[in-house]
């Protein structure tokens, strides 16, 4: 695994398993065994959303909890920092993650 990686991934809202619209983005930076993820969402209902990274194969999906995001006036932003190898208290590494789920 390279010692430094940085990328942006866009977040999409799904309704009945159909991608409908862009609802935000995540800036991800992986460096020296730590991941910093800046998450921004818009146009979503107010409240508190649990944020998960997910991994899996075929019909099995596993969520890895990273924290909560407060949404006010349809928007929310927060930075999360967590270890990459493994991610939290799981057997999975950051390279095993397939996406973000709120």
């Amino acid at each position: 695994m390279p010692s430094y990686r940085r990328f942006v991934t866009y977040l999409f809202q799904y309704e009945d398993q159909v991608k409908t619209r862009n609802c935000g983005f995540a800036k991800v930076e992986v460096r020296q065994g730590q991941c910093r993820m800046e998450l921004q969402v818009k146009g979503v209902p107010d409240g508190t959303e649990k944020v998960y990274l997910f991994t899996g194969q075929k019909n099995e999906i596993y969520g890895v909890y990273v924290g909560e995001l407060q949404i006010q006036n349809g928007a929310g932003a927060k930075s999360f920092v967590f270890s990459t190898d493994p991610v939290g208290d799981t057997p999975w590494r950051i390279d095993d993650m397939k996406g973000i789920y709120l």
Side-chain angles (χ1 to χ4, degrees):
M1 177 166 75
S3 60
Y4 178 75
R5 285 184 294 163
R6 187 173 174 193
F7 60 92
V8 173
T9 186
Y10 296 95
L11 305 176
F12 292 90
Q13 186 172 4
Y14 284 76
E15 294 177 14
D16 297 322
Q17 299 181 350
V18 176
K19 183 171 31 175
T20 58
R21 66 180 187 84
N22 178 286
C23 64
F25 65 90
K27 290 182 185 177
V28 180
E29 182 178 287
V30 177
R31 180 189 319 215
Q32 298 175 345
Q34 269 198 331
C35 181
R36 178 179 300 276
M37 180 174 72
E38 179 185 327
L39 186 63
Q40 292 191 22
V41 296
K42 62 182 180 191
V44 293
D46 289 359
T48 302
E49 291 291 332
K50 293 183 178 181
V51 178
Y52 295 87
L53 298 178
F54 69 86
T55 189
Q57 299 172 350
K58 296 190 180 188
N59 295 332
E60 294 183 45
I61 295 177
Y62 302 97
V64 179
Y65 179 75
V66 292
E68 292 186 346
L69 175 65
Q70 280 295 122
I71 301 170
Q72 296 178 336
N73 300 320
K78 186 172 181 179
S79 290
F80 300 92
V81 178
F82 47 89
S83 65
T84 61
D85 190 12
V87 177
D89 294 329
T90 72
W92 300 293
R93 299 178 4 212
I94 193 70
D95 293 335
D96 299 326
M97 297 299 124
K98 308 289 187 208
I100 301 167
Y101 181 83
L102 283 92

